[in-house]
Every structure is written in C-alpha cells, then in structure tokens.
Amino acid sequence: MPVAVLYFAGARDAAGTGRETLAAAPGTVGELRRALAEGRPALARVLARSRIAVDQEFAEDDAPLRDGAEVAIVPPVAGGAPLFRVVDRPLALSEVIDAVSAPGRGGLVTFTGTVRDETRGRKVLRLEYEAYVPMAERKLAEIGAAMARDHGAEVAIVHRVGVLAPGDAAVVIACAAPHRTPAFRACEGCIEALKKDVPLWKREVYADGSEWVGLGP
C-alpha cells in the first residue's frame, strides 16, 4: 500500500509540495528519510534537523514503517477535554480560565503568548503560524495529562494558527490546582513541552524577507 508523506512549514518549502505519495513503504523510518533526501539537497538539509512522525506519533529512525502509514516531516517547532485546541480565530484568555476553574482549585495561573513587533533587531510585520492539527491537539492533551500526573493541575491550552499581527495572542494557557506552587510549575511545564513536542511552526515576516523560526542561520 502507498505511504502518504506530509510536509509542513520549512519542509514544505524545501520539498515544493505539502504532500506526496510513495508507492511502497521503505523498511524503516531512516530508510524513508534517506529516500526523501536523495537528489533534493534543500530538503536533505531540512530533514537532517527534522523529526518524523508516523501515524501521529514521533518515531526513531530504526522504527519499522508499515504499508499505508501516514508520515509527517516535522521541522523544529516554534513550538479535547477539557480544552486542548488549535484554532484559526482570535483567542480569549477567559476560555481557558473557564475550562479549569473550580471551587477546590485555589491556585490558578495563566500564560498568554503574544506576537512581538521586533526580533533580533528586525521589525516583525506579522507571523504566519501553521500546525499539523490532529497531532498538535493530541500532543497538547498529552502535555495536560502529564501536568495532571506530575503536579495535580487541571490544564487548558489553545493555540492559534494563521496570520497574526504584533500584539495578537498566539497561545493561551491556564493551570489550576488546590495551591499556587503546583499551578505555577504546571504552567511553566506546559510552555516548555509545547515548544519542544507540539508540531506548530511560525514564519516571521519582516520588511526585507521572512524566516521559519528554528530553520534560520
């Protein structure tokens, strides 16, 4: 059975397409990586810095690849119930606060990540966010479950995709627990895990060009 390969962000630019189909599955993820890179130097450079997900789970290069799998090339990232969503609309902090508030949760910590108007001395005109949405929402839910296990906190995370202007909210997070310390720790843990494991990317657009964050010089 054919294997579907999905490309996102800088990987899509390098491949020149968002999706391609291989007639047969290579034996392993590593063999797939080498096959995709062959004869495509721009894509090879991105693949060397990318993770590969198989059926919405990250896979090591020695993992076997089944026929009919859905493979996603996941470049370095920017970065359900009760509330883990990726949306294409303005965000409201109240939606995550409402999702985790309860009489027994006396500590409630929130985080709002907004678009800056400058980065490394360059004026930012806008950000363009994209995501591998099904996997991103699944990973957000896994982060929430980990924070519940490690800190006893209820978590809600909503991330926006699309075109955002300076000052727009890109992500809102709320963490609630019986006491303030686990709520603070859970919120910080959410931010760090989101930047590492969730397939979300952002392109910074400047007056003199643009750059995918994580794939710059």
Side-chain angles (χ1 to χ4, degrees):
M1 295 177 62
V3 173
V5 182
L6 309 180
Y7 296 97
F8 296 93
R12 184 188 62 244
D13 289 353
T17 182
R19 180 187 182 98
E20 66 176 307
T21 301
L22 304 183
T28 66
V29 170
E31 291 174 13
L32 170 71
R33 188 190 297 271
R34 291 188 288 274
L36 295 176
E38 186 174 358
R40 295 191 279 188
L43 182 57
R45 287 191 293 272
V46 176
L47 281 165
R49 301 172 62 183
S50 298
R51 300 168 78 182
I52 293 180
V54 179
D55 296 327
Q56 300 183 20
E57 292 289 350
F58 287 121
E60 299 298 327
D61 276 10
D62 60 356
L65 192 62
R66 68 173 182 83
D67 287 337
E70 179 184 81
V71 175
I73 307 304
V74 183
V77 297
L83 188 65
F84 301 102
R85 295 181 189 162
V86 176
V87 300
D88 183 13
R89 58 166 173 78
L91 303 181
L93 186 60
S94 60
E95 60 187 310
V96 289
I97 291 175
D98 292 345
V100 302
S101 296
R105 299 174 190 145
L108 194 154
V109 175
T110 67
F111 173 80
T112 302
T114 60
V115 177
R116 298 189 302 271
D117 63 358
E118 184 179 9
T119 182
R120 300 185 304 278
R122 303 177 75 181
K123 182 175 178 59
V124 175
L125 302 181
R126 66 180 184 274
L127 294 186
E128 297 172 357
Y129 275 94
E130 69 175 74
Y132 182 17
V133 174
M135 184 177 176
E137 292 186 333
R138 188 173 177 180
K139 290 298 177 183
L140 290 176
E142 289 178 6
I143 291 169
M147 296 305 109
R149 181 184 65 247
D150 295 344
H151 304 294
E154 192 74 15
V155 174
I157 308 172
V158 182
H159 204 294
R160 185 177 175 184
V161 293
V163 178
L164 282 70
D168 287 345
V171 61
V172 288
I173 301 172
C175 299
H179 304 286
R180 66 180 183 274
T181 297
F184 273 110
R185 290 178 177 168
C187 195
E188 183 178 24
C190 285
I191 297 163
E192 295 305 316
L194 190 156
K195 288 161 50 178
K196 178 178 181 290
D197 287 331
V198 180
L200 285 152
W201 304 272
K202 65 180 178 182
R203 187 205 299 265
E204 291 184 337
V205 179
Y206 321 108
D208 59 348
S210 66
E211 178 182 300
W212 287 104
V213 173
L215 286 176

